[in-house]
Amino acid sequence: EVQLVESGGGSVQAGGSLRLSCTASGFTFDDSVMGWYRQVPGNECELVSSISLDGSVYYADSVKGRFTISQDNANSTLYLQMNSLKPEDTAVYYCVADKGVYVDYDWCGYWGQGTQVTVSS
């Protein structure tokens, strides 16, 4: 069974930084496409970033230049480094694997509980 556990969220001032982590188990991490979604209560589940098997990455326009996705295969961990945070980045952040990146669906909360990021002005 696929298990994804997010951590690293918190409350920061605008302009601050956070690094989110997602520890994975129950599948072959090295062979999986991974990504991050976020959701504000009442809003859509938004794909923030993803990373493919060859290391190619995708970023939503809203976070491009500020966020960096990476993974540590040895520890089966996905990261999202978030810099220059803005109040509009406030959301619950979720990690996803494989079909969570490629299939259109409400993936927020599908595998994990997510981690709350709150950015104050």
Side-chain angles (χ1 to χ4, degrees):
E1 180 181 351
V2 174
Q3 295 184 2
L4 301 173
V5 181
E6 301 94 341
S7 63
S11 298
V12 297
Q13 293 282 103
S17 297
L18 287 171
R19 188 179 74 160
L20 307 184
S21 298
C22 171
T23 57
S25 62
F27 63 101
T28 305
F29 184 80
D30 291 0
D31 294 334
S32 298
V33 176
M34 303 293 297
W36 289 95
Y37 280 76
R38 68 184 180 187
Q39 185 172 47
V40 178
N43 289 25
E44 68 177 358
C45 182
E46 173 191 18
L47 178 63
V48 176
S49 182
S50 64
I51 183 166
S52 298
L53 298 177
D54 64 356
S56 61
V57 298
Y58 160 83
Y59 297 102
D61 288 341
S62 59
V63 307
K64 200 169 297 181
R66 300 186 297 117
F67 290 11
T68 303
I69 190 171
S70 62
Q71 62 185 64
D72 180 352
N73 290 331
N75 294 299
S76 297
T77 303
L78 178 73
Y79 299 100
L80 186 67
Q81 178 66 46
M82 306 185 296
N83 298 325
S84 301
L85 283 162
K86 304 175 180 180
E88 49 263 46
D89 295 319
T90 295
V92 179
Y93 285 72
Y94 302 89
C95 64
V96 298
D98 293 327
K99 65 182 181 181
V101 174
Y102 293 112
V103 178
D104 186 12
Y105 185 75
D106 182 5
W107 295 111
C108 294
Y110 183 84
W111 280 295
Q113 294 297 308
T115 185
Q116 175 72 51
V117 172
T118 302
V119 185
S120 58
S121 60

